[in-house]
Amino acid sequence: MQPFSYASSNQPSSAQLDATFGALADPTRRAILARLATGPASVSELTAPFQMTQPAISKHLRVLEKAGLISRSQDAQRRPRTIEAQPLAQANEWLERYRELWEARYQQLDSLLDEMKSMRTP
Amino acid sequence: MQPFSYASSNQPSSAQLDATFGALADPTRRAILARLATGPASVSELTAPFQMTQPAISKHLRVLEKAGLISRSQDAQRRPRTIEAQPLAQANEWLERYRELWEARYQQLDSLLDEMKSMRTP
DNA sequence: TGGTTGCATAACTGAATGGTAATGTACAAG
DNA sequence: CTTGTACATTACCATTCAGTTATGCAACCA
């Protein structure tokens, strides 16, 4: 587990963002996260949907775990993984700083559409 | 420029998310984006803050451009870059699907804090 | 015209990434 | 106690990545 901190405003280190975004930059790992969002799953369950071998999935799980995006527990021989949302929240916080940028973009699009509309209604 | 689409609801391809998250998984590229969020900048302006050579920055710019995160224009010998927010909006949309996850997490933290508080006020 | 500025491109290098097959290991079940 | 299941680990390979130096090229400037 991560060291405890009180506030939700602990800003992520650069290395943490590197790891998080790096982990998300792969479709297999995003699919694994999507699966884990519905609840914990064993390695073989996580392997089943893919054409890859089990060691390949284990590698992906290692990447996700090092980024703090999943954690490992134990159930007999099984090592179920659980999604950990905090790094996702941090990535989201980082992106939020650019929100007004893309919202301004939509504003431009809106006014373009308005303009087009006014051209059809003279 | 990207092919035009009316709605803001065009969902990104897997490859697009790969490129976007991959581009964001590097501190130099995130710093470049942060700079460009304040307005367009030439390559030499973008190179100045770093200890890297200019070709290294040009490589990073190529990664950002292939991900659609920046665009290139022309001003005499200069090739100023402009930030393009759409891929950031798409990445944000992807993350939003997990929002309830980390909000639930904060809820747990809140109740933990409540519990601790109630222990100090018997 | 000839030099300088601004940037791109090419060729190279070391390290990291993403996959494989083969093997090792802990636990459970007969 | 032996066997099977679930997973990790190792060794290996091809590809990509992040940086370098060297070079090319277009546009401005004296």
Side-chain angles (χ1 to χ4, degrees):
Chain A
M1 194 173 168
Q2 307 279 18
F4 179 82
S5 86
Y6 279 96
S8 61
S9 61
N10 63 359
Q11 79 165 10
S13 72
S14 182
Q16 175 62 60
L17 282 175
D18 289 4
T20 302
F21 284 129
L24 297 182
D26 182 284
T28 303
R29 290 194 289 262
R30 287 197 305 275
I32 288 175
L33 283 182
R35 165 64 187 82
L36 290 179
T38 75
S42 70
V43 174
S44 38
E45 284 170 340
L46 292 173
T47 302
F50 299 101
Q51 291 177 317
M52 274 172 260
T53 58
Q54 171 261 317
I57 298 295
S58 280
K59 274 196 174 186
H60 283 302
L61 293 175
R62 227 169 80 88
V63 172
L64 288 166
E65 188 175 354
K66 287 184 75 173
L69 283 162
I70 63 174
S71 61
R72 190 197 312 226
S73 55
Q74 181 153 4
D75 166 29
Q77 318 106 309
R78 256 143 262 134
R79 302 290 135 83
R81 303 311 209 272
T82 307
I83 194 169
E84 297 290 336
Q86 201 204 12
L88 293 175
Q90 292 175 341
N92 184 68
E93 278 178 39
W94 185 89
L95 277 175
E96 284 297 337
R97 292 167 36 207
Y98 296 87
R99 169 176 291 283
E100 57 179 85
L101 231 68
W102 69 72
E103 281 181 349
R105 192 98 177 74
Y106 289 149
Q107 224 175 325
Q108 286 171 26
L109 223 171
D110 283 347
S111 38
L112 171 64
L113 291 179
D114 286 348
E115 207 177 326
M116 292 171 67
K117 206 182 299 180
S118 67
M119 287 175 65
R120 285 190 304 172
T121 57
Chain B
M1 197 172 166
Q2 308 278 16
F4 179 81
S5 86
Y6 279 95
S8 61
S9 61
N10 64 359
Q11 78 165 9
S13 71
S14 183
Q16 175 62 60
L17 282 175
D18 289 4
T20 302
F21 284 129
L24 297 182
D26 182 285
T28 303
R29 290 193 289 261
R30 287 197 304 277
I32 289 175
L33 284 181
R35 165 62 187 82
L36 290 179
T38 74
S42 70
V43 174
S44 38
E45 284 172 339
L46 292 173
T47 302
F50 300 101
Q51 292 178 317
M52 275 174 258
T53 58
Q54 169 261 316
I57 299 295
S58 279
K59 274 197 175 185
H60 283 302
L61 294 175
R62 225 169 83 87
V63 173
L64 289 167
E65 188 175 354
K66 287 184 75 172
L69 282 161
I70 63 175
S71 61
R72 191 196 312 224
S73 55
Q74 181 154 4
D75 165 30
Q77 319 107 309
R78 257 142 260 137
R79 301 285 181 280
R81 305 310 211 270
T82 307
I83 195 169
E84 297 290 336
Q86 200 203 11
L88 293 175
Q90 293 175 339
N92 184 69
E93 279 178 39
W94 185 89
L95 278 175
E96 284 297 335
R97 293 166 35 206
Y98 296 88
R99 170 177 290 282
E100 58 180 85
L101 230 70
W102 69 71
E103 281 181 349
R105 193 95 176 75
Y106 288 148
Q107 226 174 324
Q108 288 172 25
L109 222 170
D110 283 348
S111 38
L112 171 63
L113 291 179
D114 285 349
E115 207 176 327
M116 291 170 66
K117 205 183 299 182
S118 69
M119 288 175 65
R120 286 190 303 171
T121 57

